Every structure is written in C-alpha cells, then in structure tokens.
Amino acid sequence: MIVTADMAISLDGCIAGPNVALDNPGGDGAEPLFEWIHNLASWRERQGMTGGEENRDSELMREWFDATGAVVMGRMMYDTGEEFWGENPPFRTPVFVLTHRPRPTLLKEGGTTFTFVTDGIHSALDQAKAAAGDRNVDIAGGASTVRQYLGEGLIDELQLHVVPALLGDGLRLFEGPGLGRRDLEPVRVVDTPLATHLKYRFVK
Ligand SMILES: NC(=O)c1ccc[n+]([C@@H]2O[C@H](COP(=O)([O-])OP(=O)(O)OC[C@H]3O[C@@H](n4cnc5c(N)ncnc54)[C@H](OP(=O)(O)O)[C@@H]3O)[C@@H](O)[C@H]2O)c1
C-alpha cells in the first residue's frame, strides 16, 4: 500500500482556474483540465453510463480506480464535486474529507462513504490507511490538501496528467509555503493526444 496523488494540471501548473465557487467548480476557463476525462470508457462506467473511448487514457483511469482503496480530499473539492458525483459517486471506497466543521458521515450508493475529519491531515490519512486494506490511499485534491501532504512528505507517488493548455491564472499546485525542495524518480511517461501522464516516486 502506498499513498498517491493524481492530478490533472495545465502546462503552467494550475489544477483549477480562478474564481472557484460552488456554481463554478473548476474555476474560470478550466474546461481543458477535465473535459478529456468525460468521454473515457472507464470514467463513464463509474458514472453508471455506457460507451466512451477505450484508449490508453481510459486504461490509466481504470488503473487508478482499481488501485485505490480509500480517498482523502479537502472540503472544497467535496463541495464542488458533490452535485456532479450524485448519489452513486465514482469512488466506491471510503472518502475522508478534511474540514474544520464537523458533519455526520454520508453513506452513498456503490460503496462510497464520506467521513468528515476535523482533527487534521495525519488523522485523515491514518483513517484512510485503515480503510484501504491492501490498496492505495489517494490524496485526491484540491491544491490546499495535496500541498499539505506534500509538505509533510506523506505522498509516495505523484501522477500528473498534463493537459496541453495554459490557463494563465488559477489555483497552482506547487505554490505556497512549506513545500520545500524534493527529489523525485521518474516512474513512467504515457503520452497521448489528450494528456501527457507523468508518474513520479518521491525519493525518501
Ligand atoms: N485538477 C485536479 O485534478 C483537481 C483535483 C481535485 C480538485 N481540484 C480542484 O481543486 C479546487 C479545490 O481546491 P482547494 O485548494 O481550494 O481546496 P481543498 O483542498 O479541496 O479544500 C480546502 C478545505 O479543506 C479543509 N481543510 C484543508 N486542510 C485542512 C486541515 N489541515 N484541517 C482541517 N480542514 C482542512 C478546509 O475546509 P473548511 O473550510 O471546511 O474547514 C479548507 O477550506 C476545486 O476547484 C477542484 O475542482 C482539481
């Protein structure tokens, strides 16, 4: 079991556009970050739909679903995703949501649960590890959440799906205090017309 983070990112380092809000979940101009995902067969399967493209990108998405036994996310990612994911969210695993505001656990269809964790990133990770069994824990986002786990050296593997777009402005993943210098080993590069998928392992 390892801890992963897997993010769609623009060439200029943004994981969302500016002005993220509940009615603007990816921020302004963020379509290139996410639109390549929506027609992948593996993604559609998880949304309860049929069809879509069976391509290398779809295989990578399926690989992530199969490998992930629990998910940690920030409350902004939860809030901006909740409506889109609906009653049968694609995770089908326990999800631990970091927040300062306690809320009761939500049980959804398909095996997804949302547990709201108010005692910090280590507690959320410990709970996710306990829930994941032999599978990985994924730190799913957003930027604030992934940065904190990166800063504490708690992520083993980072996969970036680099989309061929510059957003110009937005939520940058590798910005802010506490990240420090880190060395990584390249694990894999998969290049498709939709995205360049870069996987790295952190050198401990
Ligand atoms: N490109 C991608 O692959 C990708 C992936 C995921 C998300 N996203 C995007 O990322 C954006 C959201 O990112 P974000 O950086 O704004 O927010 P975020 O990391 O999703 O959530 C931040 C919130 O999480 C809670 N939180 C974070 N750390 C905490 C801690 N240590 N203790 C307690 N609570 C903590 C706080 O919630 P409270 O205010 O409730 O206390 C905080 O306001 C969205 O636009 C989403 O679409 C992109």
Side-chain angles (χ1 to χ4, degrees), residues 74-140:
R75 197 264 311 159
M76 262 314 265
M77 176 173 173
Y78 171 77
D79 271 356
T80 51
E82 185 186 12
E83 193 182 321
F84 180 71
W85 299 323
E87 282 311 303
N88 190 348
F91 307 104
R92 302 189 186 167
T93 65
V95 177
F96 297 89
V97 182
L98 288 168
T99 180
H100 295 92
R101 289 170 272 183
R103 285 180 56 168
T105 297
L106 299 174
L107 308 180
K108 300 284 187 178
E109 291 165 23
T112 302
T113 57
F114 291 103
T115 302
F116 297 85
V117 178
T118 53
D119 53 353
I121 65 167
H122 292 276
S123 169
L125 183 57
D126 288 347
Q127 293 181 57
K129 282 182 174 173
D134 293 339
R135 295 197 290 161
N136 297 341
V137 171
D138 189 73
I139 311 299

Short mmCIF file of all heavy atoms in Angstrom, two decimals, residues 74-140:
data_model
loop_
_atom_site.label_atom_id
_atom_site.label_comp_id
_atom_site.label_asym_id
_atom_site.label_seq_id
_atom_site.Cartn_x
_atom_site.Cartn_y
_atom_site.Cartn_z
N GLY A 74 -10.06 17.56 0.31
CA GLY A 74 -10.41 18.75 1.07
C GLY A 74 -11.89 19.06 0.92
O GLY A 74 -12.55 18.62 -0.03
N ARG A 75 -12.40 19.85 1.83
CA ARG A 75 -13.83 20.17 1.83
C ARG A 75 -14.23 20.96 0.58
O ARG A 75 -15.35 20.83 0.09
CB ARG A 75 -14.16 20.96 3.11
CG ARG A 75 -15.63 21.01 3.46
CD ARG A 75 -16.30 22.26 2.95
NE ARG A 75 -15.53 23.45 3.29
CZ ARG A 75 -15.65 24.60 2.66
NH1 ARG A 75 -16.48 24.73 1.65
NH2 ARG A 75 -14.91 25.64 3.02
N MET A 76 -13.32 21.75 0.01
CA MET A 76 -13.66 22.48 -1.23
C MET A 76 -13.87 21.50 -2.38
O MET A 76 -14.80 21.63 -3.17
CB MET A 76 -12.55 23.46 -1.62
CG MET A 76 -12.75 24.88 -1.23
SD MET A 76 -14.39 25.53 -1.58
CE MET A 76 -14.12 26.30 -3.16
N MET A 77 -12.99 20.51 -2.49
CA MET A 77 -13.16 19.51 -3.56
C MET A 77 -14.48 18.78 -3.35
O MET A 77 -15.23 18.54 -4.30
CB MET A 77 -12.00 18.52 -3.57
CG MET A 77 -12.20 17.42 -4.60
SD MET A 77 -10.79 16.35 -4.79
CE MET A 77 -11.49 15.10 -5.89
N TYR A 78 -14.76 18.43 -2.09
CA TYR A 78 -16.03 17.75 -1.80
C TYR A 78 -17.21 18.63 -2.23
O TYR A 78 -18.09 18.18 -2.96
CB TYR A 78 -16.12 17.39 -0.31
CG TYR A 78 -17.49 16.89 0.02
CD1 TYR A 78 -17.87 15.59 -0.31
CD2 TYR A 78 -18.44 17.73 0.60
CE1 TYR A 78 -19.16 15.15 -0.07
CE2 TYR A 78 -19.73 17.29 0.84
CZ TYR A 78 -20.08 16.00 0.49
OH TYR A 78 -21.36 15.57 0.71
N ASP A 79 -17.19 19.86 -1.77
CA ASP A 79 -18.34 20.75 -2.05
C ASP A 79 -18.53 20.99 -3.54
O ASP A 79 -19.65 21.04 -4.03
CB ASP A 79 -18.12 22.12 -1.37
CG ASP A 79 -18.67 22.14 0.04
OD1 ASP A 79 -19.27 21.14 0.47
OD2 ASP A 79 -18.48 23.16 0.72
N THR A 80 -17.40 21.16 -4.25
CA THR A 80 -17.51 21.47 -5.68
C THR A 80 -17.80 20.21 -6.51
O THR A 80 -18.24 20.31 -7.65
CB THR A 80 -16.25 22.18 -6.23
OG1 THR A 80 -15.10 21.41 -5.85
CG2 THR A 80 -16.13 23.58 -5.69
N GLY A 81 -17.60 19.01 -5.92
CA GLY A 81 -17.85 17.77 -6.66
C GLY A 81 -19.18 17.11 -6.33
O GLY A 81 -19.72 16.35 -7.14
N GLU A 82 -19.70 17.42 -5.15
CA GLU A 82 -20.85 16.70 -4.59
C GLU A 82 -22.01 16.54 -5.58
O GLU A 82 -22.51 15.43 -5.81
CB GLU A 82 -21.32 17.47 -3.35
CG GLU A 82 -22.42 16.80 -2.59
CD GLU A 82 -22.93 17.70 -1.47
OE1 GLU A 82 -22.58 18.91 -1.44
OE2 GLU A 82 -23.68 17.18 -0.64
N GLU A 83 -22.41 17.64 -6.18
CA GLU A 83 -23.58 17.60 -7.06
C GLU A 83 -23.29 16.77 -8.30
O GLU A 83 -24.10 15.94 -8.73
CB GLU A 83 -23.96 19.03 -7.44
CG GLU A 83 -25.33 19.12 -8.07
CD GLU A 83 -25.65 20.55 -8.48
OE1 GLU A 83 -25.31 21.50 -7.73
OE2 GLU A 83 -26.24 20.71 -9.56
N PHE A 84 -22.10 16.97 -8.87
CA PHE A 84 -21.71 16.27 -10.09
C PHE A 84 -21.64 14.75 -9.85
O PHE A 84 -22.06 13.95 -10.69
CB PHE A 84 -20.37 16.83 -10.56
CG PHE A 84 -19.85 16.18 -11.81
CD1 PHE A 84 -20.46 16.42 -13.02
CD2 PHE A 84 -18.76 15.32 -11.76
CE1 PHE A 84 -19.99 15.83 -14.18
CE2 PHE A 84 -18.29 14.72 -12.92
CZ PHE A 84 -18.90 14.97 -14.13
N TRP A 85 -21.09 14.34 -8.70
CA TRP A 85 -20.94 12.90 -8.41
C TRP A 85 -22.28 12.23 -8.16
O TRP A 85 -22.44 11.04 -8.40
CB TRP A 85 -20.02 12.67 -7.20
CG TRP A 85 -18.63 13.19 -7.39
CD1 TRP A 85 -17.90 13.16 -8.55
CD2 TRP A 85 -17.79 13.83 -6.42
NE1 TRP A 85 -16.67 13.74 -8.35
CE2 TRP A 85 -16.57 14.14 -7.06
CE3 TRP A 85 -17.94 14.14 -5.07
CZ2 TRP A 85 -15.51 14.78 -6.39
CZ3 TRP A 85 -16.90 14.76 -4.40
CH2 TRP A 85 -15.71 15.08 -5.06
N GLY A 86 -23.23 12.96 -7.63
CA GLY A 86 -24.58 12.43 -7.44
C GLY A 86 -24.67 11.37 -6.34
O GLY A 86 -23.81 11.30 -5.45
N GLU A 87 -25.70 10.54 -6.44
CA GLU A 87 -25.99 9.57 -5.38
C GLU A 87 -25.11 8.32 -5.47
O GLU A 87 -25.07 7.51 -4.55
CB GLU A 87 -27.47 9.17 -5.41
CG GLU A 87 -28.39 10.22 -4.80
CD GLU A 87 -27.91 10.68 -3.41
OE1 GLU A 87 -27.74 9.83 -2.52
OE2 GLU A 87 -27.67 11.90 -3.24
N ASN A 88 -24.45 8.13 -6.63
CA ASN A 88 -23.58 6.96 -6.79
C ASN A 88 -22.20 7.45 -7.25
O ASN A 88 -21.83 7.32 -8.41
CB ASN A 88 -24.22 6.01 -7.83
CG ASN A 88 -23.52 4.67 -7.88
OD1 ASN A 88 -22.43 4.49 -7.31
ND2 ASN A 88 -24.13 3.71 -8.55
N PRO A 89 -21.43 8.03 -6.33
CA PRO A 89 -20.16 8.68 -6.71
C PRO A 89 -19.15 7.67 -7.27
O PRO A 89 -19.23 6.48 -6.96
CB PRO A 89 -19.67 9.29 -5.39
CG PRO A 89 -20.85 9.34 -4.50
CD PRO A 89 -21.70 8.17 -4.89
N PRO A 90 -18.24 8.15 -8.08
CA PRO A 90 -17.33 7.23 -8.78
C PRO A 90 -16.30 6.54 -7.88
O PRO A 90 -15.68 5.58 -8.32
CB PRO A 90 -16.61 8.15 -9.79
CG PRO A 90 -16.73 9.52 -9.21
CD PRO A 90 -18.03 9.55 -8.47
N PHE A 91 -16.13 6.98 -6.65
CA PHE A 91 -15.03 6.45 -5.82
C PHE A 91 -15.26 4.99 -5.42
O PHE A 91 -14.36 4.17 -5.47
CB PHE A 91 -14.83 7.35 -4.58
CG PHE A 91 -14.66 8.78 -4.96
CD1 PHE A 91 -15.68 9.70 -4.80
CD2 PHE A 91 -13.47 9.21 -5.53
CE1 PHE A 91 -15.54 11.01 -5.19
CE2 PHE A 91 -13.31 10.53 -5.92
CZ PHE A 91 -14.36 11.43 -5.75
N ARG A 92 -16.45 4.70 -4.94
CA ARG A 92 -16.82 3.35 -4.46
C ARG A 92 -15.86 2.84 -3.38
O ARG A 92 -15.54 1.66 -3.30
CB ARG A 92 -16.92 2.36 -5.63
CG ARG A 92 -17.94 2.86 -6.64
CD ARG A 92 -18.27 1.86 -7.71
NE ARG A 92 -19.15 2.46 -8.70
CZ ARG A 92 -19.43 1.96 -9.88
NH1 ARG A 92 -18.91 0.80 -10.23
NH2 ARG A 92 -20.24 2.57 -10.70
N THR A 93 -15.37 3.76 -2.59
CA THR A 93 -14.48 3.46 -1.46
C THR A 93 -14.83 4.46 -0.36
O THR A 93 -15.52 5.46 -0.61
CB THR A 93 -12.99 3.72 -1.81
OG1 THR A 93 -12.82 5.12 -2.05
CG2 THR A 93 -12.52 2.93 -3.02
N PRO A 94 -14.30 4.25 0.85
CA PRO A 94 -14.41 5.31 1.86
C PRO A 94 -13.64 6.56 1.42
O PRO A 94 -12.54 6.45 0.88
CB PRO A 94 -13.77 4.68 3.11
CG PRO A 94 -13.85 3.20 2.87
CD PRO A 94 -13.70 3.02 1.38
N VAL A 95 -14.24 7.72 1.65
CA VAL A 95 -13.59 9.01 1.35
C VAL A 95 -13.55 9.81 2.65
O VAL A 95 -14.57 9.89 3.37
CB VAL A 95 -14.40 9.81 0.30
CG1 VAL A 95 -13.77 11.17 0.04
CG2 VAL A 95 -14.51 9.02 -1.01
N PHE A 96 -12.40 10.38 2.97
CA PHE A 96 -12.23 11.16 4.19
C PHE A 96 -12.03 12.63 3.79
O PHE A 96 -11.11 12.94 3.03
CB PHE A 96 -11.05 10.60 5.00
CG PHE A 96 -11.33 9.19 5.44
CD1 PHE A 96 -10.98 8.12 4.61
CD2 PHE A 96 -12.01 8.93 6.61
CE1 PHE A 96 -11.28 6.81 4.98
CE2 PHE A 96 -12.33 7.63 6.98
CZ PHE A 96 -11.97 6.56 6.16
N VAL A 97 -12.93 13.48 4.27
CA VAL A 97 -12.96 14.88 3.84
C VAL A 97 -12.41 15.75 4.97
O VAL A 97 -12.98 15.78 6.07
CB VAL A 97 -14.40 15.32 3.49
CG1 VAL A 97 -14.40 16.78 3.01
CG2 VAL A 97 -15.01 14.41 2.43
N LEU A 98 -11.32 16.46 4.69
CA LEU A 98 -10.74 17.38 5.69
C LEU A 98 -11.62 18.62 5.81
O LEU A 98 -11.98 19.23 4.80
CB LEU A 98 -9.36 17.84 5.24
CG LEU A 98 -8.23 16.84 5.29
CD1 LEU A 98 -7.02 17.40 4.52
CD2 LEU A 98 -7.84 16.55 6.74
N THR A 99 -11.94 18.98 7.04
CA THR A 99 -12.71 20.20 7.28
C THR A 99 -12.52 20.62 8.73
O THR A 99 -12.05 19.85 9.56
CB THR A 99 -14.22 19.97 6.98
OG1 THR A 99 -14.94 21.18 7.24
CG2 THR A 99 -14.82 18.86 7.82
N HIS A 100 -12.87 21.88 9.01
CA HIS A 100 -12.90 22.34 10.40
C HIS A 100 -14.30 22.25 10.98
O HIS A 100 -14.51 22.58 12.13
CB HIS A 100 -12.37 23.78 10.49
CG HIS A 100 -10.91 23.88 10.12
ND1 HIS A 100 -10.50 24.16 8.84
CD2 HIS A 100 -9.79 23.72 10.87
CE1 HIS A 100 -9.17 24.17 8.80
NE2 HIS A 100 -8.71 23.91 10.02
N ARG A 101 -15.27 21.86 10.12
CA ARG A 101 -16.67 21.86 10.57
C ARG A 101 -17.22 20.45 10.59
O ARG A 101 -17.38 19.83 9.52
CB ARG A 101 -17.51 22.72 9.61
CG ARG A 101 -17.19 24.21 9.76
CD ARG A 101 -17.83 25.02 8.68
NE ARG A 101 -16.96 25.12 7.53
CZ ARG A 101 -17.25 25.83 6.44
NH1 ARG A 101 -18.39 26.48 6.34
NH2 ARG A 101 -16.40 25.90 5.43
N PRO A 102 -17.49 19.89 11.78
CA PRO A 102 -17.97 18.51 11.86
C PRO A 102 -19.29 18.31 11.13
O PRO A 102 -20.14 19.21 11.12
CB PRO A 102 -18.15 18.26 13.36
CG PRO A 102 -17.73 19.47 14.07
CD PRO A 102 -17.41 20.55 13.08
N ARG A 103 -19.44 17.14 10.53
CA ARG A 103 -20.69 16.76 9.85
C ARG A 103 -20.85 15.25 9.99
O ARG A 103 -19.85 14.54 10.06
CB ARG A 103 -20.61 17.06 8.34
CG ARG A 103 -20.73 18.51 7.98
CD ARG A 103 -20.65 18.69 6.48
NE ARG A 103 -21.65 17.89 5.77
CZ ARG A 103 -21.95 18.04 4.49
NH1 ARG A 103 -21.33 18.95 3.76
NH2 ARG A 103 -22.86 17.31 3.90
N PRO A 104 -22.09 14.76 9.99
CA PRO A 104 -22.26 13.31 10.06
C PRO A 104 -21.77 12.63 8.78
O PRO A 104 -21.79 13.23 7.70
CB PRO A 104 -23.79 13.13 10.19
CG PRO A 104 -24.39 14.48 10.21
CD PRO A 104 -23.35 15.51 9.97
N THR A 105 -21.33 11.39 8.93
CA THR A 105 -20.87 10.60 7.77
C THR A 105 -22.03 10.37 6.81
O THR A 105 -23.17 10.16 7.23
CB THR A 105 -20.32 9.25 8.28
OG1 THR A 105 -19.19 9.54 9.11
CG2 THR A 105 -19.89 8.35 7.15
N LEU A 106 -21.73 10.43 5.52
CA LEU A 106 -22.74 10.18 4.48
C LEU A 106 -22.47 8.84 3.82
O LEU A 106 -21.33 8.55 3.44
CB LEU A 106 -22.67 11.27 3.40
CG LEU A 106 -22.93 12.71 3.84
CD1 LEU A 106 -22.67 13.65 2.66
CD2 LEU A 106 -24.37 12.85 4.32
N LEU A 107 -23.50 8.04 3.70
CA LEU A 107 -23.39 6.75 3.00
C LEU A 107 -24.06 6.89 1.65
O LEU A 107 -25.25 7.22 1.58
CB LEU A 107 -24.08 5.64 3.79
CG LEU A 107 -23.71 5.48 5.26
CD1 LEU A 107 -24.49 4.32 5.89
CD2 LEU A 107 -22.21 5.23 5.41
N LYS A 108 -23.31 6.66 0.59
CA LYS A 108 -23.86 6.77 -0.76
C LYS A 108 -23.99 5.38 -1.38
O LYS A 108 -23.51 4.39 -0.82
CB LYS A 108 -22.95 7.64 -1.62
CG LYS A 108 -22.79 9.05 -1.10
CD LYS A 108 -24.01 9.88 -1.38
CE LYS A 108 -23.82 11.33 -1.03
NZ LYS A 108 -24.99 12.14 -1.35
N GLU A 109 -24.58 5.34 -2.56
CA GLU A 109 -24.69 4.05 -3.26
C GLU A 109 -23.32 3.63 -3.77
O GLU A 109 -22.45 4.47 -3.97
CB GLU A 109 -25.64 4.20 -4.46
CG GLU A 109 -27.08 4.42 -4.07
CD GLU A 109 -27.93 4.92 -5.23
OE1 GLU A 109 -27.55 4.69 -6.40
OE2 GLU A 109 -28.96 5.56 -4.96
N GLY A 110 -23.17 2.31 -3.98
CA GLY A 110 -21.96 1.81 -4.64
C GLY A 110 -20.75 1.68 -3.73
O GLY A 110 -19.66 1.38 -4.20
N GLY A 111 -20.92 1.93 -2.44
CA GLY A 111 -19.81 1.73 -1.50
C GLY A 111 -19.06 3.00 -1.13
O GLY A 111 -18.12 2.96 -0.34
N THR A 112 -19.44 4.14 -1.69
CA THR A 112 -18.77 5.40 -1.30
C THR A 112 -19.34 5.90 0.02
O THR A 112 -20.56 5.99 0.18
CB THR A 112 -18.96 6.49 -2.38
OG1 THR A 112 -18.44 6.01 -3.62
CG2 THR A 112 -18.24 7.77 -1.99
N THR A 113 -18.45 6.22 0.97
CA THR A 113 -18.86 6.91 2.19
C THR A 113 -18.05 8.20 2.30
O THR A 113 -16.90 8.23 1.85
CB THR A 113 -18.59 6.05 3.45
OG1 THR A 113 -17.18 5.72 3.47
CG2 THR A 113 -19.41 4.78 3.46
N PHE A 114 -18.64 9.24 2.82
CA PHE A 114 -17.90 10.48 3.07
C PHE A 114 -17.86 10.70 4.58
O PHE A 114 -18.90 10.91 5.21
CB PHE A 114 -18.59 11.66 2.39
CG PHE A 114 -18.53 11.63 0.89
CD1 PHE A 114 -19.63 11.25 0.13
CD2 PHE A 114 -17.35 11.98 0.22
CE1 PHE A 114 -19.57 11.23 -1.26
CE2 PHE A 114 -17.28 11.95 -1.18
CZ PHE A 114 -18.39 11.57 -1.92
N THR A 115 -16.65 10.64 5.15
CA THR A 115 -16.44 10.86 6.58
C THR A 115 -15.71 12.19 6.74
O THR A 115 -14.66 12.41 6.10
CB THR A 115 -15.59 9.72 7.18
OG1 THR A 115 -16.27 8.50 6.95
CG2 THR A 115 -15.37 9.92 8.68
N PHE A 116 -16.24 13.07 7.55
CA PHE A 116 -15.68 14.42 7.70
C PHE A 116 -14.72 14.42 8.88
O PHE A 116 -15.12 14.07 10.00
CB PHE A 116 -16.82 15.44 7.83
CG PHE A 116 -17.66 15.45 6.57
CD1 PHE A 116 -18.71 14.54 6.39
CD2 PHE A 116 -17.35 16.32 5.53
CE1 PHE A 116 -19.45 14.52 5.22
CE2 PHE A 116 -18.09 16.30 4.35
CZ PHE A 116 -19.15 15.40 4.19
N VAL A 117 -13.47 14.77 8.61
CA VAL A 117 -12.39 14.64 9.60
C VAL A 117 -11.96 16.03 10.05
O VAL A 117 -11.52 16.84 9.22
CB VAL A 117 -11.19 13.87 8.99
CG1 VAL A 117 -10.06 13.76 9.99
CG2 VAL A 117 -11.62 12.50 8.49
N THR A 118 -12.06 16.29 11.34
CA THR A 118 -11.75 17.64 11.83
C THR A 118 -10.46 17.69 12.64
O THR A 118 -10.11 18.76 13.16
CB THR A 118 -12.91 18.16 12.73
OG1 THR A 118 -13.15 17.18 13.74
CG2 THR A 118 -14.17 18.40 11.93
N ASP A 119 -9.75 16.55 12.75
CA ASP A 119 -8.53 16.60 13.55
C ASP A 119 -7.26 16.43 12.72
O ASP A 119 -6.27 15.88 13.21
CB ASP A 119 -8.59 15.61 14.73
CG ASP A 119 -8.94 14.20 14.28
OD1 ASP A 119 -9.25 14.00 13.09
OD2 ASP A 119 -8.87 13.28 15.12
N GLY A 120 -7.29 16.93 11.50
CA GLY A 120 -6.05 17.14 10.77
C GLY A 120 -5.66 16.06 9.77
O GLY A 120 -6.28 15.01 9.66
N ILE A 121 -4.58 16.38 9.02
CA ILE A 121 -4.21 15.53 7.88
C ILE A 121 -3.69 14.17 8.30
O ILE A 121 -3.89 13.19 7.60
CB ILE A 121 -3.19 16.24 6.93
CG1 ILE A 121 -1.85 16.48 7.61
CG2 ILE A 121 -3.76 17.55 6.40
CD1 ILE A 121 -0.74 16.87 6.61
N HIS A 122 -3.02 14.09 9.46
CA HIS A 122 -2.48 12.79 9.89
C HIS A 122 -3.62 11.85 10.27
O HIS A 122 -3.61 10.67 9.93
CB HIS A 122 -1.50 12.96 11.05
CG HIS A 122 -0.24 13.66 10.63
ND1 HIS A 122 0.81 13.00 10.05
CD2 HIS A 122 0.10 14.97 10.67
CE1 HIS A 122 1.77 13.87 9.75
NE2 HIS A 122 1.35 15.07 10.12
N SER A 123 -4.61 12.40 10.96
CA SER A 123 -5.77 11.59 11.35
C SER A 123 -6.50 11.09 10.10
O SER A 123 -6.86 9.91 10.01
CB SER A 123 -6.70 12.43 12.22
OG SER A 123 -7.92 11.76 12.39
N ALA A 124 -6.70 11.97 9.13
CA ALA A 124 -7.42 11.57 7.90
C ALA A 124 -6.64 10.47 7.18
O ALA A 124 -7.22 9.48 6.71
CB ALA A 124 -7.62 12.77 6.99
N LEU A 125 -5.32 10.61 7.14
CA LEU A 125 -4.51 9.61 6.44
C LEU A 125 -4.54 8.28 7.19
O LEU A 125 -4.67 7.21 6.58
CB LEU A 125 -3.07 10.12 6.27
CG LEU A 125 -2.12 9.20 5.50
CD1 LEU A 125 -2.66 8.88 4.10
CD2 LEU A 125 -0.73 9.84 5.39
N ASP A 126 -4.45 8.34 8.52
CA ASP A 126 -4.49 7.09 9.31
C ASP A 126 -5.82 6.38 9.10
O ASP A 126 -5.87 5.16 8.92
CB ASP A 126 -4.32 7.39 10.81
CG ASP A 126 -2.89 7.81 11.13
OD1 ASP A 126 -2.01 7.62 10.27
OD2 ASP A 126 -2.67 8.35 12.24
N GLN A 127 -6.91 7.14 9.10
CA GLN A 127 -8.23 6.52 8.90
C GLN A 127 -8.35 5.93 7.50
O GLN A 127 -8.91 4.86 7.30
CB GLN A 127 -9.34 7.55 9.14
CG GLN A 127 -9.43 8.01 10.58
CD GLN A 127 -10.56 9.00 10.79
OE1 GLN A 127 -11.71 8.72 10.50
NE2 GLN A 127 -10.25 10.18 11.30
N ALA A 128 -7.79 6.65 6.52
CA ALA A 128 -7.86 6.16 5.14
C ALA A 128 -7.01 4.89 4.98
O ALA A 128 -7.44 3.94 4.33
CB ALA A 128 -7.37 7.25 4.18
N LYS A 129 -5.84 4.87 5.62
CA LYS A 129 -4.99 3.67 5.53
C LYS A 129 -5.69 2.47 6.14
O LYS A 129 -5.66 1.37 5.60
CB LYS A 129 -3.65 3.90 6.24
CG LYS A 129 -2.68 4.73 5.43
CD LYS A 129 -1.36 4.88 6.17
CE LYS A 129 -0.33 5.59 5.29
NZ LYS A 129 0.91 5.92 6.03
N ALA A 130 -6.36 2.70 7.26
CA ALA A 130 -7.07 1.61 7.93
C ALA A 130 -8.21 1.09 7.05
O ALA A 130 -8.54 -0.10 7.08
CB ALA A 130 -7.60 2.07 9.28
N ALA A 131 -8.80 1.98 6.26
CA ALA A 131 -9.95 1.59 5.44
C ALA A 131 -9.53 0.99 4.10
O ALA A 131 -10.33 0.30 3.46
CB ALA A 131 -10.83 2.82 5.18
N ALA A 132 -8.30 1.25 3.66
CA ALA A 132 -7.91 0.91 2.28
C ALA A 132 -7.53 -0.55 2.09
O ALA A 132 -7.43 -1.00 0.95
CB ALA A 132 -6.75 1.81 1.84
N GLY A 133 -7.28 -1.27 3.18
CA GLY A 133 -6.83 -2.66 3.05
C GLY A 133 -5.47 -2.69 2.36
O GLY A 133 -4.58 -1.92 2.71
N ASP A 134 -5.35 -3.56 1.35
CA ASP A 134 -4.07 -3.67 0.62
C ASP A 134 -3.93 -2.61 -0.46
O ASP A 134 -2.90 -2.51 -1.10
CB ASP A 134 -3.98 -5.03 -0.08
CG ASP A 134 -3.89 -6.15 0.93
OD1 ASP A 134 -3.49 -5.87 2.08
OD2 ASP A 134 -4.23 -7.30 0.56
N ARG A 135 -5.01 -1.88 -0.71
CA ARG A 135 -4.96 -0.94 -1.83
C ARG A 135 -4.41 0.42 -1.38
O ARG A 135 -4.18 0.66 -0.20
CB ARG A 135 -6.35 -0.81 -2.45
CG ARG A 135 -6.78 -2.15 -3.08
CD ARG A 135 -7.93 -1.99 -4.05
NE ARG A 135 -9.17 -1.65 -3.38
CZ ARG A 135 -10.22 -1.11 -4.01
NH1 ARG A 135 -10.14 -0.81 -5.29
NH2 ARG A 135 -11.32 -0.84 -3.34
N ASN A 136 -4.21 1.30 -2.34
CA ASN A 136 -3.58 2.59 -2.05
C ASN A 136 -4.55 3.59 -1.44
O ASN A 136 -5.76 3.49 -1.62
CB ASN A 136 -3.04 3.21 -3.35
CG ASN A 136 -1.96 2.36 -4.00
OD1 ASN A 136 -1.37 1.52 -3.33
ND2 ASN A 136 -1.73 2.58 -5.28
N VAL A 137 -3.97 4.57 -0.75
CA VAL A 137 -4.73 5.76 -0.35
C VAL A 137 -4.39 6.85 -1.34
O VAL A 137 -3.20 7.11 -1.60
CB VAL A 137 -4.34 6.21 1.07
CG1 VAL A 137 -4.96 7.57 1.39
CG2 VAL A 137 -4.74 5.17 2.10
N ASP A 138 -5.39 7.48 -1.91
CA ASP A 138 -5.13 8.58 -2.83
C ASP A 138 -5.53 9.90 -2.19
O ASP A 138 -6.63 10.04 -1.65
CB ASP A 138 -5.91 8.41 -4.14
CG ASP A 138 -5.47 9.45 -5.16
OD1 ASP A 138 -4.34 9.30 -5.67
OD2 ASP A 138 -6.21 10.41 -5.41
N ILE A 139 -4.60 10.87 -2.25
CA ILE A 139 -4.89 12.24 -1.81
C ILE A 139 -5.40 12.95 -3.06
O ILE A 139 -4.63 13.30 -3.96
CB ILE A 139 -3.62 12.93 -1.26
CG1 ILE A 139 -2.89 12.04 -0.23
CG2 ILE A 139 -3.98 14.30 -0.68
CD1 ILE A 139 -3.68 11.67 1.00
N ALA A 140 -6.72 13.13 -3.13
CA ALA A 140 -7.35 13.46 -4.41
C ALA A 140 -7.38 14.96 -4.73
O ALA A 140 -7.65 15.34 -5.86
CB ALA A 140 -8.78 12.92 -4.41
#
